Amino acid sequence: MMKSAISALLLAGVVRAAPASSTENTKVQPFSIPNLLNLIPRSFEINEKRKGWLYGTFPFGVAPYPYGKLADKVIAEQQSQWKPPVFELGGIIVQETQEAVEAVIAAGGFTSLDDYAKVYNNLWQTSLPDGPLPGMLTNHTDDRTFSMMRLSSVPYRLRRVQREDSLLFPVDEELSRSITGHSLEELHAQGRLFSEDFAEMKDQEATTAYGAGCQAYFYIDDAGDFLPLAIKLIVKGREDSALVYTPKDIKDEWLFAKMTINANDGWHSTWGHTTQSHSAAEAPYLAAIRSFSESHPVLAVMNRIENTPWGVRPNLEESLVNGTADTGPKYYPWAANAARTWANKVYSSGETSNFSSNYFRTSLRNRGLIDYKYGPALKSFPYYEDGAVLVDALTEVFTGFINAYYKSDKAVANDREIQAWLKETGPGQVHDFPKKIQTRKDIVEILTHQAYLGSVVHAIMSGNGNQLDIMALPFTSAGWQSPIPTKKGVITDILPWMPTPQGAAWQVATYAAGNRASWKDTNMTFAYMFDDESLQSRLNKEAKAATAKFQTDMFALSDKWRARGFDENGLDRGMPYIWNVLDPKWAIFWSVV
Ligand SMILES: *[C@@H]1O[C@H](CO)[C@@H](O)[C@H](O)[C@H]1NC(C)=O
Ligand SMILES: *[C@@H]1O[C@H](CO)[C@@H](O)[C@H](O)[C@H]1NC(C)=O
Ligand SMILES: *[C@@H]1O[C@H](CO)[C@@H](O)[C@H](O)[C@H]1NC(C)=O
Ligand SMILES: *[C@@H]1O[C@H](CO)[C@@H](O)[C@H](O)[C@H]1NC(C)=O
Ligand SMILES: [Fe+2]
């Protein structure tokens, strides 16, 4: 008697809940949090999902990759969504690459660094119509372009040399004083010294191109500006004689040093992003799929912000490892396998995979970039300033969203699906996930970070950033065509190190392929994060209102940021270029391939 009553309930639940992905049946039902009435149908649904979404591995490595009856179906459906734009754009880029090579050659090729602007001039009409960020082509020799890029375009390996930290390498005291007015030790003691360390890159499997693993110092000068001090270029096998370059070196040699570490930062963004914005979000998402009912508002919003996450690794493997992008290694100093190995290393070390320690402000604080007690604040920190506005907007919308479903913190603590998710992040191999979810604030923070990974981090490391700043020519060449010098005074002209027209076009093409220039102002952008019919139609009134306010706010913010330009000193917020990559109507809201 009891048994058959349960079976009837179960069946009723199946009819409602069966579509572990998406079907007509669930669409009309409002989202709801677990209660006693839905215990049985939802338990049944979740059990079915757990059988159909299993933890597998992927040749590219890192986070678990789903497989199973339900997962395979969803992955196949998603392929039909993400593949066509990739192939369509790919076809266009092949055409545009050919045009670019011909145009550069017809215009006399490259005889100076400035000539590399030719590879963008009225080219890439579909894939990169506006070229690099305003200022990048004209102001790249300005030291502030180099240093301020660390505070905007490539903020993830920069740290303040904190009190307890040791110095990476010495700089001659006289030299340091002549540049900064202080010795390295004084700058360190005053909390004004910063560093980047890519030394590990020197050990990667090399190609026929050249590169180094670089270390660099930056400092806050007496006027409060953030400037470069020194760069050490470390080459495998000759570590002991590694040369240190400073602004006191001859012009092209100092530029060469800056460009060599740019290539490290570009590599960090390019391959680091596959784990820092993709895999780090995929792991908790897969655990969530296995823990929540599809009727749960938390999973509903994750389904939206993750969009089509499972296409990234197959796409990478196909193009990178299986070799359709086979010209790459000729220009990168390191092999495709090195990219895969390195991405796995930074993932397993926690650098890119850690959830909590990579929270927007936590990460900046841990690296001494904000709230540092023993040194001055950064006068202008565009990544932090713009990022904070977006992260705070996410916090606000998720607070409204969570409050719309939970009347108290206790309701969060009592949500069996949320607690199951927390537990599931163990077998789901989520690194450094929060240890508890007891309050509305706890869950808001988690959702904010999840959304931040796919939008802000992805836009910086692979979307509007990367293509248009750190991997833009001429200031960054993916790799060098001549060896790293063994002594000073040999680079009076940088051109022999620079790529050919084919190499330059390859670099633009490679990065344009990761961009979605044509999606600017469309509903793929940040402002439209919650603007989805299948999500909206099932939200309650308060949640709808919160997401509507978010969109209105983001439209206004976009208008405000688009009014930026160069001031009378040729700067925007201290930068000799216009850095607007987080524009909410330009940055894509999800981790697009
Ligand atoms: C890559 O190649 C291997 C071996 O040929 C094949 O098994 C695998 O399916 C390919 N991966 C993709 C994503 O095409
Ligand atoms: C990652 O998180 C763990 C704690 O969960 C911590 O011990 C480790 O230091 C973190 N790693 C990095 C690189 O932040
Ligand atoms: C986004 O816009 C496109 C084209 O205007 C439209 O076809 C699509 O339905 C929209 N998507 C959403 C989720 O609103
Ligand atoms: C940077 O470039 C823009 C135009 O490309 C120019 O107007 C501005 O003066 C330059 N800034 C500096 C500091 O050279
Ligand atoms: Fe990506």
Side-chain angles (χ1 to χ4, degrees):
M1 159 71 209
M2 191 60 199
K3 193 163 176 256
S4 69
I6 289 178
S7 305
L9 267 174
L10 286 177
L11 281 176
V14 182
V15 173
R16 268 200 305 275
S21 54
S22 58
T23 73
E24 307 72 48
N25 294 330
T26 41
K27 276 191 180 143
V28 288
Q29 303 259 335
F31 295 119
S32 60
I33 62 174
N35 55 37
L36 275 179
L37 286 177
N38 61 27
L39 171 65
I40 291 171
R42 281 169 81 135
S43 303
F44 185 86
E45 178 208 342
I46 293 166
N47 267 336
E48 288 302 299
K49 286 213 296 177
R50 294 176 74 82
K51 285 187 228 153
W53 284 89
L54 302 167
Y55 295 120
T57 54
F58 197 81
F60 205 79
V62 295
Y65 193 82
Y67 78 100
K69 227 174 106 196
L70 296 171
D72 294 347
K73 185 164 167 287
V74 169
I75 291 169
E77 278 168 16
Q78 290 188 353
Q79 275 210 1
S80 63
Q81 286 176 49
W82 67 259
K83 269 204 167 168
V86 168
F87 281 109
E88 192 194 336
L89 184 62
I92 291 167
I93 287 176
V94 168
Q95 180 65 34
E96 293 187 335
T97 306
Q98 190 55 36
E99 285 166 18
V101 172
E102 284 164 12
V104 170
I105 292 170
F110 304 130
T111 56
S112 73
L113 214 50
D114 284 341
D115 272 351
Y116 280 79
K118 288 179 187 172
V119 78
Y120 296 105
N121 267 344
N122 295 318
L123 293 161
W124 318 96
Q125 289 301 340
T126 301
S127 60
L128 208 66
D130 299 324
L133 297 180
M136 290 301 303
L137 290 177
T138 48
N139 303 343
H140 59 269
T141 53
D142 191 316
D143 269 354
R144 293 168 299 183
T145 297
F146 176 69
S147 55
M148 290 306 291
M149 280 170 78
R150 273 68 209 168
L151 299 180
S152 56
S153 316
V154 282
Y156 297 119
R157 267 272 171 112
L158 180 73
R159 50 184 303 120
R160 196 183 304 242
V161 186
Q162 302 185 34
R163 273 189 163 184
E164 62 279 14
D165 295 341
S166 45
L167 294 172
L168 287 178
F169 59 91
V171 174
D172 176 76
E173 186 174 335
E174 279 308 299
L175 187 57
S176 176
R177 282 190 196 286
S178 72
I179 298 165
T180 72
H182 304 274
S183 70
L184 207 55
E185 290 71 19
E186 283 166 10
L187 290 170
H188 184 196
Q190 294 164 11
R192 292 160 66 185
L193 189 67
F194 297 76
S195 70
E196 275 197 315
D197 185 359
F198 296 107
E200 92 266 19
M201 290 186 182
K202 73 177 163 63
D203 294 320
Q204 302 187 97
E205 183 189 337
T207 64
T208 56
Y210 301 92
C214 304
Q215 297 176 323
Y217 289 127
F218 302 84
Y219 70 106
I220 295 179
D221 78 358
D222 293 335
D225 289 323
F226 183 76
L227 294 168
L229 165 55
I231 303 167
K232 182 176 181 183
L233 271 49
I234 312 171
V235 178
K236 189 176 182 178
R238 43 188 176 97
E239 288 85 351
D240 293 343
S241 56
L243 294 170
V244 174
Y245 295 84
T246 74
K248 296 286 178 192
D249 284 304
I250 53 176
K251 186 169 152 277
D252 271 31
E253 230 155 49
W254 172 232
L255 189 58
F256 178 81
K258 290 190 284 184
M259 292 171 68
T260 308
I261 194 170
N262 273 358
N264 289 169
D265 246 325
W267 180 267
H268 184 274
S269 284
T270 305
W271 305 117
H273 109 272
T274 65
T275 66
Q276 189 162 330
S277 70
H278 288 280
S279 307
E282 286 167 24
Y285 179 46
L286 181 51
I289 291 172
R290 288 174 47 84
S291 311
F292 285 106
S293 160
E294 296 290 314
S295 298
H296 199 295
V298 166
L299 183 57
V301 83
M302 287 180 78
N303 283 337
R304 169 66 180 168
I305 63 187
E306 294 308 317
N307 211 13
T308 59
W310 312 118
V312 174
R313 278 181 274 174
N315 191 47
L316 274 173
E317 191 205 338
E318 210 169 296
S319 60
L320 180 78
V321 182
N322 283 9
T324 49
D326 60 353
T327 48
K330 224 159 60 189
Y331 303 110
Y332 282 127
W334 302 297
N337 270 337
R340 174 164 55 170
T341 305
W342 182 84
N344 276 274
K345 255 187 210 154
V346 290
Y347 190 80
S348 57
S349 79
E351 176 186 347
T352 60
S353 58
N354 268 11
F355 201 84
S356 317
S357 68
N358 280 321
Y359 279 7
F360 177 68
R361 286 186 171 84
T362 308
S363 161
L364 295 175
R365 203 171 285 126
N366 288 345
R367 290 181 284 134
L369 300 180
I370 58 169
D371 305 338
Y372 187 65
K373 272 196 294 200
Y374 309 108
L378 290 158
K379 188 163 83 178
S380 170
F381 191 175
Y383 166 74
Y384 173 59
E385 291 151 17
D386 288 5
V389 177
L390 298 191
V391 167
D392 292 349
L394 289 171
T395 304
E396 184 187 330
V397 66
F398 286 127
T399 300
F401 184 90
I402 288 299
N403 287 348
Y405 289 97
Y406 298 89
K407 298 306 158 208
S408 66
D409 289 338
K410 199 152 165 263
V412 170
N414 287 340
D415 184 319
R416 60 177 182 262
E417 291 174 19
I418 285 186
Q419 299 311 322
W421 182 33
L422 179 64
K423 216 167 134 199
E424 185 68 21
T425 57
Q429 297 171 49
V430 184
H431 293 236
D432 184 42
F433 200 71
K435 297 286 168 286
K436 59 175 186 53
I437 310 177
Q438 289 291 309
T439 64
R440 286 175 291 185
K441 184 165 174 282
D442 291 342
I443 186 76
V444 166
E445 281 179 356
I446 290 169
L447 288 175
T448 297
H449 186 63
Q450 188 81 14
Y452 155 81
L453 291 176
S455 56
V456 174
V457 178
H458 198 270
I460 299 244
M461 298 181 92
S462 181
N464 300 338
N466 214 15
Q467 287 73 11
L468 311 184
D469 47 47
I470 189 64
M471 287 310 297
L473 287 158
F475 195 30
T476 304
S477 168
W480 294 124
Q481 298 305 305
S482 297
I484 305 290
T486 52
K487 57 184 197 307
K488 292 275 186 83
V490 293
I491 308 178
T492 49
D493 178 2
I494 215 167
L495 276 195
W497 277 264
M498 290 294 288
T500 58
Q502 286 79 5
W506 165 84
Q507 185 168 318
V508 180
T510 299
Y511 285 89
N515 202 354
R516 289 293 177 276
S518 62
W519 287 6
K520 192 172 187 173
D521 293 320
T522 70
N523 59 12
M524 284 292 120
T525 59
F526 190 88
Y528 295 83
M529 187 177 285
F530 307 97
D531 189 355
D532 173 57
E533 182 51 28
S534 65
L535 176 70
Q536 288 291 330
S537 64
R538 299 175 64 187
L539 291 180
N540 69 21
K541 212 171 98 226
E542 294 87 346
K544 272 195 183 121
T547 59
K549 178 174 190 297
F550 172 84
Q551 188 164 71
T552 312
D553 290 351
M554 292 304 102
F555 286 169
L557 185 65
S558 174
D559 291 344
K560 189 174 145 197
W561 284 358
R562 285 185 186 186
R564 286 170 175 161
F566 291 112
D567 62 18
E568 64 281 9
N569 299 315
L571 303 172
D572 173 45
R573 297 178 284 165
M575 300 177 286
Y577 53 94
I578 309 291
W579 189 76
N580 240 4
V581 307
L582 294 179
D583 173 352
K585 280 169 72 180
W586 190 18
I588 307 306
F589 77 80
W590 58 285
S591 269
V592 58
V593 164

